[in-house]
Amino acid sequence: MTSTPSRHKNAAAAQAAPSAPALWQQLEAVAQALHGILGGQSSKSVLAQVPQRLRPGVQALLFQVLRNLGRAQALQKQLVSRAPAPKVSALLSTALALAWDEAHAPYPPFTLVNQAVEAAKRGAARAQSGFINACLRRFLRERDALVVATDSDPVAVWNHPAWWIARLKKDHPQDWQSILAANNAQPPMTLRVNAQKCTPAQYQSALDAMNVKALPVAECGLQLEHAAPVQELPHFEQGWASVQDAAAQAAAPLLLQGLAQPEGRPLRVLDACAAPGGKTAHLLERAEPGSLAVTALEIDPERARRIGETLSRLDLQAQVLVADAGQPEAWFESQCGGQQFDAILLDAPCTASGIVRRQPDVRWLRRESDVAQLARIQSELLDKLWPLLKPGGRMVYCTCSVFKAEGDTQVKAFLARNKTVSSLPAPWHLIPGKSAKGDSVADNGLGDHDGFFYALLEKSR
């Protein structure tokens, strides 16, 4: 293992800054957050409980811990004969996940160990601080041998649950390793430029003026070389751009391209399961004013409110309904006049197995049984929404999943049981990471993107 003294020096300097929280405080907060996640809470939920002054650093460390949790848990088993109490285990896992690979450690391993022991002495694991100290000191002495001892454990190597790895091997025998590797990498920050406000080239020029480098991707996207706070982006609050992964940006063009504009009225489009509103906004951004009438559904009132906020920032309008897409009898007649839609976007609830690099807690929160349960929900949504589509209309079915049960298999089953549907050319499964066209600016491919599934379905006339 090679060290990175410059990064360690910079991290240590930042830690020494008067305004910086003590590292032990951050590690204690990370361990508490990890304990919550292993208890079934989402990272969003546990981070909301962290004091604001600690939150940025805690989130960065927590995400690194989650991306190395399989290795940390395997190392912990080498160090202890029986499982310690959950909060003790969370602090041990935090220290081990951050320190096991010195080349990527945010601080020198001995600093992380010292500060983890300090966190134990001052926090919830006070009674076990001696035990934690002994385990971590042994880890420092025997680190290389302990790591080698865990190299035969697939969960330690890939930092995903065993069932997840097995499913990917079955679903994607040629790509499972690249999917897992992509899941453990930092995702890029990608923008979608609002075509109602400016062109991608104009926005790229504005970024260039700020010395922010970006690569054109997708139809109207820009992938930043380095992530930047949105408040520092040109005219972000005025709606010139939104943050959206390049794979997610494929939905609106796929649905709208090739659809004929009805005479004398706008295209009626339903965005089912629409929160937080990125795809709703993209549909409106790429349409001529007045040519599109979008209804956005969201079952959760708070998430529906976020759709409204998204549209307001972008100066766009849609009908936002707090309603269950799986129960159209409660809203289709009363809220939509019973008029069939020309196009439907069904971004169905799923395991989120394609966006693990953005939500690294997902892999540890999901259970294998969730896949079948969510696939049933997706199947029901397809069956419930299909009658709302007019003959000749089109539906995009998509999920941010790489599991075939939520994509390829799901759509093939729908085609088999429904004789009014045909499948049109679409991406189907997109593997997370660098696309084949990612290096080609001329082709304007998707670049480095999340995992997704897309099917384009047409209803017979």
Side-chain angles (χ1 to χ4, degrees), residues 23-188:
L23 180 55
W24 71 263
Q25 290 179 301
Q26 296 183 64
L27 294 177
E28 182 184 29
V30 171
Q32 289 177 355
L34 178 61
H35 177 257
I37 289 170
L38 294 178
Q41 299 181 62
S42 69
S43 60
K44 181 180 179 181
S45 174
V46 296
L47 285 168
Q49 302 168 38
V50 176
Q52 184 59 48
R53 70 185 188 89
L54 292 175
R55 198 172 299 163
V58 168
Q59 177 172 318
L61 292 173
L62 176 63
F63 279 19
Q64 185 166 347
V65 167
L66 292 168
R67 292 185 179 113
N68 289 275
L69 186 58
R71 178 72 72 169
Q73 292 178 332
L75 288 168
Q76 188 176 144
K77 289 176 183 177
Q78 295 288 320
L79 291 166
V80 300
S81 56
R82 58 181 184 175
K87 290 187 177 181
V88 173
S89 177
L91 184 54
L92 277 173
S93 291
T94 294
L96 293 169
L98 295 172
W100 81 272
D101 182 0
E102 187 174 8
H104 298 97
Y107 300 90
F110 71 88
T111 299
L112 288 163
V113 166
N114 287 341
Q115 291 296 296
V117 172
E118 188 68 17
K121 291 177 179 177
R122 295 176 180 244
R126 186 181 302 109
Q128 296 293 316
S129 60
F131 168 75
I132 290 172
N133 181 61
C135 286
L136 294 180
R137 298 299 171 190
R138 180 187 164 198
F139 162 73
L140 287 179
R141 293 192 304 271
E142 304 175 20
R143 183 177 56 181
D144 290 351
L146 289 167
V147 169
V148 169
T150 61
D151 279 342
S152 59
D153 181 353
V155 176
V157 172
W158 295 110
N159 291 292
H160 285 70
W163 71 264
W164 192 301
I165 298 170
R167 183 173 284 270
L168 286 181
K169 283 183 176 181
K170 180 180 178 182
D171 284 357
H172 303 282
Q174 304 301 317
D175 297 305
W176 68 272
Q177 291 177 308
S178 65
I179 293 172
L180 292 169
N183 287 351
N184 289 324
Q186 289 276 1

Side-chain angles (χ1 to χ4, degrees), residues 313-326:
R313 182 180 66 83
L314 299 168
D315 294 327
L316 301 169
Q317 291 186 332
Q319 179 187 29
V320 180
L321 299 181
V322 179
D324 185 351

Side-chain angles (χ1 to χ4, degrees), residues 186-192 203 207 212-215 217 221-233 236 241-246 249 357-358 448 450:
Q186 289 276 1
M189 181 175 179
T190 304
L191 305 178
R192 185 191 74 243
Y203 201 79
L207 290 173
V212 176
K213 304 301 180 187
L215 174 74
V217 293
L222 292 170
Q223 186 173 295
L224 304 187
E225 185 176 302
H226 300 290
V230 293
Q231 60 268 25
E232 296 179 9
L233 297 174
F236 187 85
S242 300
V243 178
Q244 187 180 45
D245 183 78
Q249 291 185 38
R357 59 185 186 167
R358 296 188 189 279
D448 189 356
D450 290 341

